[in-house]
Amino acid sequence: MIVMKFGGTSNRDAAAIANVLRIITTHLAERPVVVISAIANATNDLEESARTAASGDASRGEEILTRLNARHLAIVGALVRDKARAGNLLGAFSGYLKELTTLLHGLAILHELTPRTMDAICSYGERFSSRIIAAGLQESGVDAVWVDAKDFMLTDSNFGRALPVMEAVRSNLVRVVVPLLERQQVPVTQGFIGVTSSGAYTTMGRESSDFSASIIGAALDAERVQIWTDVDGILTADPRIVAGVQKVRHMSFDEAFELSYFGAKVLHPNTMLPLLEKNIPVEVRNSRREEGTGTLIEQPDPSRAVAPAVKSISFSADVTVVSLSPRKRTNQYLFWEGVFSVLSRSGIDVRSVTTSEYKIAFTIAGSYESSTVIPCLEEFGPVTVLPGQASLCIVGSGLREWNGFAGRVFGALTGLKTSLIAYGASGLSMTVVVDRLELEDALVRLHNEFFGSPAPSGEFDVPFN
Ligand code: ADP
Ligand code: ASP
Ligand code: MG
């Protein structure tokens, strides 16, 4: 069997969804489990309606919901002709809408929005869209069955960034989904959402439907996991910023992880983790150009020599560089320990770290200028905060052994001020932090340096190692 995941960009409107339905029907022989994201922007709308209601304005929150509901209804109107089927769907939708409205009123009364309630509200986006896809498939004569992720995706209760309990997910899938596959049915379920042992909805972080697909793929020993999106595969840079990008045909799990961890939106970084051990390949493909082969992510053959090559450059547009040195220069290890325990207690993900004998500098996502974590760090010594930065991450293989690689990076960035440089400990990346206003310039310069002349095919490949 295979897992086919379709992102919000593929579920934007009725025409895009009709295309998704067609793609699924061409893969029926491979026994797909279909994983669906909310329609484009639905999760943003749900978040905004929740925040608006919690600020005391339930009716403006409801307006946002009404507009989202109208988008869902327009899709149902265009795709579902069968009256009984459409009636069932609309019945489920009005139930969802009632529940959401009640939640918004509760938020407006309490003026409080917990991560748990935010997850409950966001879970509806995937529930709406997956019901549409299941009904649309049935409409085309496919024996599709809507499966509630609540019936199998058990997670911890870390709302907003929950993690799956793999053994339980596996046995739940064997109980709930495998019998459907054995009957040649097509299960359609939701990405992004899970459930705690006490039955509360969780989410696994924004953009995590990719991760849901790989959890299901690993648990069911899928032949491969397909991530269908709006680009031809993993590209040499984000095409929204750089012109003349090329498609990368092959990548290793580690490279894809590094790229997404340092900002490439095309895949959620956790996607690779459940699949690594079993070497289940991931295909990243374009739902608008189905004929393309996409990018194949798999484990490299360890017996093959590593060829040095840059594969792609990702970025995070909003990072802060924090640096500090201890007040007293004794027991350096206690200083490191203290700093990292403050950061981990605050749930802050540190991205790149550099140290000198008595100084540490690191990047964190977002603007932390006035964050409560800074006073905690100041207990160790003076802290310098540099907001308004952006990090660029050059990802590839054999970078450490590549004589002249760093020279090319610095040469390309001549004249730009860099506030932090880190050679990734993995040997697969180098991170350079620049002023946010110079991000685009830096990205284009680095892309020209390493991918200057586009391959005639528009595809880029290096010996897969
Ligand atoms: P989906 O809704 O399918 O999950 P996303 O918007 O999350 O789609 O991810 C696809 C987008 O990721 C692309 O439209 C592209 O702008 C962006 N992106 C950023 N970096 C890359 C990259 N290196 N390769 C491909 N796409 C990238
Ligand atoms: N709908 C969720 C989001 O927008 C999950 C996803 O699309 O992967 O973040
Ligand atoms: Mg995505």
Side-chain angles (χ1 to χ4, degrees):
M1 51 83 55
I2 63 170
V3 179
M4 303 178 80
K5 177 260 169 177
F6 293 88
T9 53
S10 302
N11 297 333
R12 170 172 310 282
D13 52 26
I17 292 185
N19 190 44
V20 164
L21 299 174
R22 204 184 38 73
I23 295 175
I24 297 171
T25 53
T26 62
H27 286 83
L28 292 179
E30 292 161 280
R31 297 199 300 152
V33 172
V34 178
V35 176
I36 296 297
S37 292
I39 64 171
N41 285 322
T43 312
N44 292 342
D45 289 347
L46 289 165
E47 278 189 357
E48 196 193 333
S49 71
R51 288 202 193 96
T52 310
S55 74
D57 195 346
S59 57
R60 217 164 66 74
E62 277 185 72
E63 277 168 29
I64 300 168
L65 280 188
T66 308
R67 280 199 299 275
L68 176 61
N69 192 42
R71 287 178 62 205
H72 287 132
L73 296 185
I75 297 172
V76 174
L79 294 180
V80 185
R81 299 260 165 264
D82 182 275
K83 283 218 168 68
R85 191 171 290 125
N88 279 341
L89 209 50
L90 299 183
F93 284 11
S94 77
Y96 286 167
L97 216 55
K98 262 196 206 117
E99 290 164 18
L100 275 168
T101 309
T102 310
L103 284 168
L104 293 193
H105 282 275
L107 291 177
I109 292 166
L110 293 171
H111 281 266
E112 188 192 37
L113 177 56
T114 61
R116 179 184 172 127
T117 310
M118 186 59 117
D119 277 4
I121 289 177
C122 286
S123 74
Y124 285 90
E126 271 66 11
R127 292 198 267 160
F128 279 111
S129 63
S130 58
R131 280 193 183 274
I132 293 176
I133 299 280
L137 283 171
Q138 290 160 2
E139 195 80 3
S140 346
V142 176
D143 192 358
V145 181
W146 183 78
V147 178
D148 194 341
K150 217 174 184 180
D151 293 337
F152 65 86
M153 191 62 88
L154 184 74
T155 68
D156 59 24
S157 46
N158 202 353
F159 294 98
R161 51 201 294 187
L163 287 172
V165 183
M166 272 315 268
E167 266 321 304
V169 172
R170 185 172 295 119
S171 59
N172 291 340
L173 283 166
V174 166
R175 180 173 47 79
V176 178
V177 167
V178 169
L180 304 177
L181 291 172
E182 284 170 353
R183 291 200 292 271
Q184 311 296 322
Q185 293 177 303
V186 177
V188 178
T189 191
Q190 309 87 57
F192 180 51
I193 65 182
V195 66
T196 65
S197 54
S198 58
Y201 273 112
T202 55
T203 70
M204 296 190 276
R206 293 300 309 268
E207 302 291 336
S208 62
S209 293
D210 304 326
F211 184 32
S212 305
S214 76
I215 294 166
I216 297 169
L220 293 178
D221 288 318
E223 279 155 48
R224 64 210 141 93
V225 172
Q226 295 180 332
I227 305 291
W228 291 87
T229 182
D230 65 344
V231 281
D232 283 347
I234 293 184
L235 306 170
T236 48
D238 188 337
R240 285 172 301 187
I241 311 255
V242 180
V245 293
Q246 298 155 56
K247 190 190 87 182
V248 183
R249 275 199 294 251
H250 283 109
M251 262 203 161
S252 69
F253 284 118
D254 291 340
E255 289 161 354
F257 179 81
E258 200 90 351
L259 192 72
S260 51
Y261 182 74
F262 284 101
K265 192 172 177 257
V266 62
L267 276 181
H268 188 280
N270 287 355
T271 312
M272 276 53 72
L273 303 180
L275 303 172
L276 249 170
E277 209 176 292
K278 295 182 169 175
N279 197 13
I280 296 173
V282 180
E283 283 174 11
V284 182
R285 294 180 63 173
N286 192 343
S287 62
R288 299 169 192 177
R289 293 211 309 145
E290 193 197 344
E291 65 288 357
T293 48
T295 297
L296 185 68
I297 304 168
E298 60 183 353
Q299 201 67 307
D301 174 354
S303 66
R304 287 180 64 173
V306 173
V310 170
K311 299 212 173 147
S312 184
I313 307 169
S314 63
F315 66 87
S316 297
D318 185 15
V319 305
T320 299
V321 178
V322 179
S323 46
L324 70 155
S325 40
R327 207 159 275 119
K328 278 195 233 132
R329 296 195 168 197
T330 50
N331 291 340
Q332 192 196 39
Y333 64 93
L334 290 178
F335 171 58
W336 299 152
E337 187 192 352
V339 169
F340 281 104
S341 69
V342 164
L343 293 169
S344 83
R345 273 202 309 277
S346 319
I348 291 179
D349 275 340
V350 173
R351 291 294 145 113
S352 300
V353 184
T354 60
T355 64
S356 51
E357 194 187 355
Y358 275 109
K359 189 144 191 160
I360 182 166
F362 51 85
T363 59
I364 48 189
S367 300
Y368 278 81
E369 226 171 338
S370 55
S371 152
T372 51
V373 79
I374 303 298
C376 298
L377 291 173
E378 273 167 346
E379 282 176 23
F380 300 101
V383 178
T384 313
V385 180
L386 187 61
Q389 303 296 293
S391 69
L392 295 129
C393 183
I394 305 148
V395 176
S397 51
L399 301 185
R400 230 192 313 245
E401 296 76 32
W402 181 349
N403 205 346
F405 166 69
R408 283 181 66 180
V409 172
F410 301 137
L413 297 178
T414 303
L416 299 185
K417 198 166 150 266
T418 49
S419 48
L420 186 141
I421 295 164
Y423 231 142
S426 61
L428 298 172
S429 69
M430 180 187 260
T431 298
V432 183
V433 180
V434 298
D435 191 291
R436 192 188 301 153
L437 298 174
E438 296 187 326
L439 166 65
E440 229 172 286
D441 184 16
L443 183 57
V444 170
R445 288 190 199 194
L446 287 170
H447 193 270
N448 283 347
E449 175 63 32
F450 291 104
F451 307 103
S453 36
S457 60
E459 298 201 351
F460 171 78
D461 209 0
V462 291
F464 187 43
N465 43 65

